[in-house]
């Protein structure tokens, strides 16, 4: 509610419910990524509040958000996602390590079970779980990063440009998976510049412009015309608030 951070975020409010895909739409510089980073505790808001189940919370760092059941798939998987010289197994269970280790010793049997489960569930194509992740295609790297967060059993998954830089087939698989996850009760906050993805996936769309939320659409009002009009800060009929 009313998130603010310097000139990048001036006043953004967004609600995500269980089982719902909410898309943040906007042009470059609209404040989409900044909103996601504040929600995940990567940046500290200068104003506004975060509420979970009605209770106000403060995230000082991402570990606080992770403990609350939040996951964040970053826009730049090569810089902020994969660890290229580590194996698929290590990358997939990176966030889960504190739960898999006791007194510094990793439960390798449990780790293998989790890795094998998500490789099957997401259809990750690879030679072996011990293969270096940098050897996989972009789409399969993205699936490993998705699996990393799904293994944490999150209640909210933030996806920043989840299909950027991957082939058409992998895009379709990832979008289908996101829809299935929402159907199972996961809340999804998705940031994408692909309007087709917004229209096909989102239950609600919040349009941002210059660090402010300027419109919200749901149901039949989620159209390219309405979203583009709101982005241009032109009165958008049929759903703008």
């Amino acid at each position: 509610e009313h998130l603010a951070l310097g000139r990048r975020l001036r006043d953004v409010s967004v609600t995500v419910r269980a089982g719902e895909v909410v898309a943040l739409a906007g042009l470059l510089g609209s404040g989409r990524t900044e909103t996601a980073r504040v929600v995940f505790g990567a940046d500290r808001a200068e104003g506004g509040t975060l509420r979970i189940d009605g209770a106000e919370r403060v995230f000082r760092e991402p570990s606080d958000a992770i403990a609350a059941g939040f996951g964040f798939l970053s826009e730049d998987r090569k810089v902020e996602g994969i660890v290229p010289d580590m194996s698929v197994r290590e990358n997939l269970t990176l966030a889960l390590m504190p739960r898999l280790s006791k007194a510094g010793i990793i439960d390798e049997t449990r780790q293998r079970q989790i890795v094998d489960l998500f490789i099957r569930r997401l259809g990750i194509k690879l030679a072996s779980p011990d293969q270096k992740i940098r050897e996989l295609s972009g789409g399969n790297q993205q699936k490993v990063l998705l699996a990393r967060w799904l293994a944490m059993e999150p209640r909210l998954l933030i996806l920043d440009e989840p299909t950027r830089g991957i082939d058409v087939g992998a895009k379709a698989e990832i979008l289908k998976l996101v829809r299935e996850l929402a159907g199972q009760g996961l809340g999804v906050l998705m940031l994408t510049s692909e309007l087709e993805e917004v229209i096909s996936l989102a239950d609600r769309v919040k349009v941002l412009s210059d660090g402010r939320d300027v419109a919200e659409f749901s149901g039949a009002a989620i159209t390219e015309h309405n979203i583009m009009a709101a982005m241009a800060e032109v009165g958008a009929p049929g759903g703008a608030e």
Side-chain angles (χ1 to χ4, degrees), residues 19-23 179 182 198 201-205 217-219 222:
E20 185 178 50
V21 178
V22 177
R179 188 70 263 172
V198 172
L201 269 185
D203 297 298
R204 285 189 295 114
V205 178
F217 303 101
S218 61
I222 300 176

Side-chain angles (χ1 to χ4, degrees), residues 22-217:
V22 177
L24 295 183
L27 302 173
L28 189 65
S30 62
R32 291 177 305 160
T33 296
E34 289 80 2
T35 298
R37 288 180 60 84
V38 165
V39 170
F40 193 62
D43 294 328
R44 289 289 301 275
E46 294 171 355
T49 56
L50 172 69
R51 298 182 191 278
I52 304 176
D53 297 331
E56 188 171 334
R57 298 287 299 272
V58 176
F59 294 162
R60 292 179 172 81
E61 53 190 21
S63 60
D64 295 336
I66 293 169
F70 288 16
F72 182 25
L73 189 64
S74 169
E75 175 183 6
D76 192 337
R77 69 173 174 270
K78 291 185 178 179
V79 174
E80 297 181 326
I82 67 168
V83 183
D85 290 325
M86 289 174 65
S87 69
V88 170
R89 184 194 310 280
E90 292 166 323
N91 270 275
L92 197 154
T93 54
L94 199 59
L96 200 60
M97 278 302 179
R99 300 185 194 178
L100 289 174
S101 59
K102 188 174 182 180
I105 299 173
I106 297 170
D107 183 343
E108 293 184 358
T109 299
R110 182 66 183 137
Q111 184 188 36
R112 278 196 299 272
Q113 290 172 343
I114 291 169
V115 170
D116 291 346
L117 169 67
F118 282 100
I119 286 174
R120 289 196 306 273
R121 184 178 174 188
L122 273 65
I124 300 170
K125 297 178 178 64
L126 73 173
S128 159
D130 295 314
Q131 183 179 5
K132 294 282 193 293
I133 194 170
R134 57 178 160 77
E135 297 174 2
L136 302 189
S137 68
N140 283 296
Q141 289 178 3
Q142 195 76 327
K143 288 181 181 179
V144 172
L145 295 178
L146 264 174
R148 176 190 293 172
W149 291 114
L150 296 180
M152 298 291 289
E153 299 180 338
R155 59 186 307 184
L156 174 71
L157 186 57
I158 304 168
L159 304 175
D160 192 355
E161 300 288 359
T163 63
R164 175 167 291 175
I166 61 178
D167 65 51
V168 174
K171 278 187 180 183
E173 289 179 357
I174 286 173
L175 295 176
K176 180 173 179 284
L177 176 65
V178 171
R179 188 70 263 172
E180 289 174 356
L181 292 168
Q184 295 163 13
L186 179 67
V188 178
L189 181 62
M190 185 173 74
L191 292 62
T192 176
S193 51
E194 300 285 342
L195 282 185
E196 286 183 8
E197 295 178 7
V198 172
I199 293 165
S200 66
L201 269 185
D203 297 298
R204 285 189 295 114
V205 178
K206 179 77 77 166
V207 181
L208 306 188
S209 178
D210 195 28
R212 295 184 176 90
D213 59 82
V214 296
E216 182 173 318
F217 303 101

